[in-house]
Amino acid sequence: MVFLPDESRSLPPPPLVNKGSIWLGFTGWVAAMLDNGFNHRPVIRSGVHRQILFATVGWFVGYYLVKRMEYIHAKQDRELFEYVRHHPEDFKAAGI
């Protein structure tokens, strides 16, 4: 899979309720509300199924974006620690 490589499966999954999921779920819900408003329909009462769908899709996308972000940060950490391990002369402890 292009979005998340197989090596990302070794990481613990992010919590279901995280900042990315909440924000993108809210953004999806607001997008459905704006669609109702632009099409001159009652903003909250019309298209409740679309509001739920957009919020769910936003939540799903937010979850996987957070998962990808955690994978990228873990990969960078691994590369940095590997560099430090191979070049100890560049990272001597400061003498007190």
Side-chain angles (χ1 to χ4, degrees):
M1 188 165 148
V2 175
F3 188 66
L4 282 172
D6 287 337
E7 65 183 6
S8 69
R9 292 182 185 201
S10 65
L11 296 173
L16 286 176
V17 179
N18 57 52
K19 194 181 341 179
S21 294
I22 291 172
W23 274 108
L24 286 177
F26 178 73
T27 302
W29 179 68
V30 168
M33 304 283 275
L34 287 172
D35 181 54
N36 286 342
F38 290 144
N39 290 314
H40 303 291
R41 294 188 293 251
V43 177
I44 294 177
R45 293 180 295 131
S46 180
V48 175
H49 62 286
R50 258 193 341 272
Q51 294 175 23
I52 294 170
L53 174 69
F54 283 23
T56 304
V57 169
W59 193 276
F60 179 79
V61 169
Y63 177 80
Y64 278 95
L65 285 176
V66 167
K67 195 171 182 175
R68 177 152 174 85
M69 181 185 64
E70 286 182 359
Y71 164 71
I72 289 172
H73 288 194
K75 184 178 169 186
Q76 288 176 346
D77 286 348
R78 183 184 67 214
E79 290 169 356
L80 285 173
F81 288 135
E82 191 68 20
Y83 180 82
V84 169
R85 191 172 65 84
H86 282 96
H87 299 90
E89 66 277 358
D90 295 338
F91 301 96
K92 295 185 191 272
I96 297 178

